[in-house]
């Protein structure tokens, strides 16, 4: 029993050390090079490795040479059994001002081994609250929007493109 406990303690220590000493900044730059062929460019960011997480500040996101968003803070946590990315204070480009409000307060994206076939997201901003699920196996996305008063008054054309359910929420579903 003592040997088993010692073995488990060493395994736990190894896993914690692996997460702590993993080259998170190098992995970030690798990921950045992988999304570049899709036209997504991240620039102006400040990176900080905090041991168990990676913090990114002041990131400017461009899609196909069009400035799309500015994100004040991004926190990346990759633990294997639970992986998450949280975004704070997102300002969207004025090019989408006719479709949705431009300020997003926070967004979080999570993936766990409890539900390995789905990636979940929760977004909160001037538009209201949205929950999204990406089904990896079916390659489909489902977004449920609880619109704010601003969204209901100024962005009726956007809401018309979504289907309304019985709870007053708007739903968007698409399979790729």
């Amino acid at each position: 029993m003592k040997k088993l406990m010692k073995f488990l303690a060493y395994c736990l220590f190894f896993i914690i050390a692996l997460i702590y000493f993993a080259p998170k900044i190098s992995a970030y730059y690798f990921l950045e090079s992988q999304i570049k062929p899709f036209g997504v460019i991240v620039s102006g960011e400040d990176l900080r490795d905090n041991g168990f997480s990676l913090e990114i500040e002041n990131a400017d996101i461009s899609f196909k040479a069009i400035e799309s968003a500015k994100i004040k803070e991004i926190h990346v946590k990759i633990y294997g059994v639970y992986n998450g990315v949280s975004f704070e204070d997102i300002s969207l480009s004025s090019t989408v001002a006719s479709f949705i409000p431009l300020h997003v307060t926070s967004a979080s994206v999570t993936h766990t081994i409890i539900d390995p076939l789905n990636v979940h997201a929760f977004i909160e901003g001037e538009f209201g609250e949205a929950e999204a699920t990406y089904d990896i196996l079916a390659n489909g996305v489902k977004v449920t929007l609880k619109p704010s008063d601003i969204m209901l008054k100024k962005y009726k054309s956007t809401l018309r493109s979504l289907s309304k359910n019985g709870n007053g929420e708007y739903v968007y579903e698409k399979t790729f």
Side-chain angles (χ1 to χ4, degrees):
M1 186 65 156
K2 213 175 197 186
K3 285 185 179 185
L4 179 64
M5 293 303 288
K6 197 174 190 181
F7 174 76
L8 292 175
Y10 280 129
C11 287
L12 183 63
F13 175 76
F14 175 75
I15 292 168
I16 290 171
L18 186 65
I19 292 169
Y20 188 83
F21 293 113
K24 293 172 227 31
I25 293 176
S26 296
Y28 169 79
Y29 285 124
F30 174 75
L31 178 64
E32 194 175 60
S33 70
Q34 295 301 304
I35 63 173
K36 193 173 185 177
F38 297 104
V40 179
I41 297 174
V42 182
S43 61
E45 71 274 23
D46 298 320
L47 302 173
R48 187 171 53 244
D49 185 347
N50 286 341
F52 292 106
S53 66
L54 177 66
E55 289 188 16
I56 306 163
E57 294 180 345
N58 304 319
D60 295 327
I61 313 293
S62 299
F63 180 69
K64 297 193 178 187
I66 299 170
E67 186 178 317
S68 301
K70 291 183 184 217
I71 305 173
K72 187 168 182 163
E73 291 181 28
I74 304 170
H75 302 278
V76 181
K77 298 172 186 147
I78 300 175
Y79 303 132
V81 294
Y82 173 85
N83 305 307
V85 180
S86 61
F87 306 89
E88 300 291 330
D89 197 14
I90 303 168
S91 299
L92 300 175
S93 172
S94 60
T95 56
V96 296
S98 60
F99 301 109
I100 58 172
L102 298 179
H103 188 262
V104 178
T105 309
S106 65
S108 64
V109 179
T110 58
H111 182 255
T112 66
I113 63 166
I114 295 170
D115 188 10
L117 298 178
N118 292 302
V119 178
H120 299 279
F122 181 77
I123 306 109
E124 191 174 8
E126 291 176 340
F127 59 86
E129 296 178 353
E131 289 184 42
T133 303
Y134 174 69
D135 187 339
I136 295 171
L137 209 52
N139 198 23
V141 67
K142 179 181 180 182
V143 180
T144 305
L145 173 67
K146 297 175 189 168
S148 67
D149 291 338
I150 296 171
M151 192 75 180
L152 290 170
K153 291 176 185 173
K154 294 184 178 179
Y155 300 96
K156 291 178 184 177
S157 61
T158 301
L159 293 176
R160 272 188 240 126
S161 65
L162 306 173
S163 59
K164 190 174 183 179
N165 66 14
N167 300 335
E169 301 171 334
Y170 291 83
V171 179
Y172 173 79
E173 290 187 71
K174 176 136 175 123
T175 304
F176 303 101

